[in-house]
């Protein structure tokens, strides 16, 4: 992975095991979103439950793009030095919690580009929340825990976010 690449592109290149070069993408002239979408489109699925771009149907692709845009507009706008405010985070988590009420992933039952970007974008916030705070977003927590335990999503350098106080539950 090249130094100075947006972390989203490094993440996707590592996750997708693709040899797509950013020079070929010309990512300096494109948005991170467009580059990430291109890397995801060029990548073969690494797992049967992965559909990075939402499949062949326009509806699935639009849903993934919608949530990637949500990530870019509502989460990525905060830089490493400027975190989301408490109100912004609450609004984001509340909207995601409502959406995930009846879904496993952002695209129903398949892991997508939206899930991966949202997971990485929310990781530092979820890791910093207390158990009591997490209890307000039960569907987000279920989704987040599922994504972080999905093969090849969470690198070893990122800590697992814990959602249970009971150590016996962690052994399951």
């Amino acid at each position: 992975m090249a130094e100075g690449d947006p972390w989203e592109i490094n993440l996707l290149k590592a996750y997708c095991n693709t040899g797509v070069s950013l020079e070929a993408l010309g990512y300096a002239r494109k948005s991170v979103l467009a580059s990430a979408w291109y890397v995801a489109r060029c990548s073969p699925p690494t797992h049967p439950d992965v559909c990075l771009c939402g499949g062949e149907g326009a509806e699935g692709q639009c849903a993934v793009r919608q949530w990637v845009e949500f990530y870019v507009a509502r989460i990525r706008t905060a830089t490493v030095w400027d975190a989301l405010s408490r109100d912004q985070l609450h609004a984001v988590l509340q909207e995601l919690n409502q959406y995930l009420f009846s879904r496993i992933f952002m695209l129903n039952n398949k892991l997508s580009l939206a899930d991966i970007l949202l997971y990485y974008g929310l990781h530092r916030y979820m890791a910093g929340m207390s158990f009591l705070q997490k209890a307000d977003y039960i569907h987000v927590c279920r989704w987040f825990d599922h994504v972080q335990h999905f093969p090849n999503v969470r690198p070893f350098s990122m800590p697992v976010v814990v959602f249970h106080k009971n150590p016996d539950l962690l052994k399951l």
Side-chain angles (χ1 to χ4, degrees), residues 75-88:
I75 298 170
R76 191 177 193 273
T77 55
T79 64
V80 174
W81 304 279
D82 183 27
L84 290 173
S85 72
R86 184 178 297 231
D87 291 339
Q88 289 171 317

Side-chain angles (χ1 to χ4, degrees), residues 63-102:
V64 171
R65 281 183 185 260
Q66 171 194 346
W67 287 107
V68 170
E69 288 285 349
F70 176 89
Y71 158 77
V72 169
R74 304 274 301 277
I75 298 170
R76 191 177 193 273
T77 55
T79 64
V80 174
W81 304 279
D82 183 27
L84 290 173
S85 72
R86 184 178 297 231
D87 291 339
Q88 289 171 317
L89 180 61
H90 174 70
V92 164
L93 291 176
Q94 202 169 23
E95 188 169 343
L96 287 173
N97 200 56
Q98 185 176 9
Y99 183 78
L100 290 165
F101 172 75
S102 62

Side-chain angles (χ1 to χ4, degrees), residues 3-4 9 18 28 34 36 38 44 48 63 66 71 77-79 95-96 110-111 128 133 136 138 145 148 159:
E3 290 224 12
I9 302 298
T18 179
Y38 183 82
Q66 171 194 346
Y71 158 77
T77 55
T79 64
E95 188 169 343
L96 287 173
K110 299 264 187 193
L111 184 78
Q133 291 170 319
D136 290 338
I138 192 166
D145 197 41
Q148 78 178 348

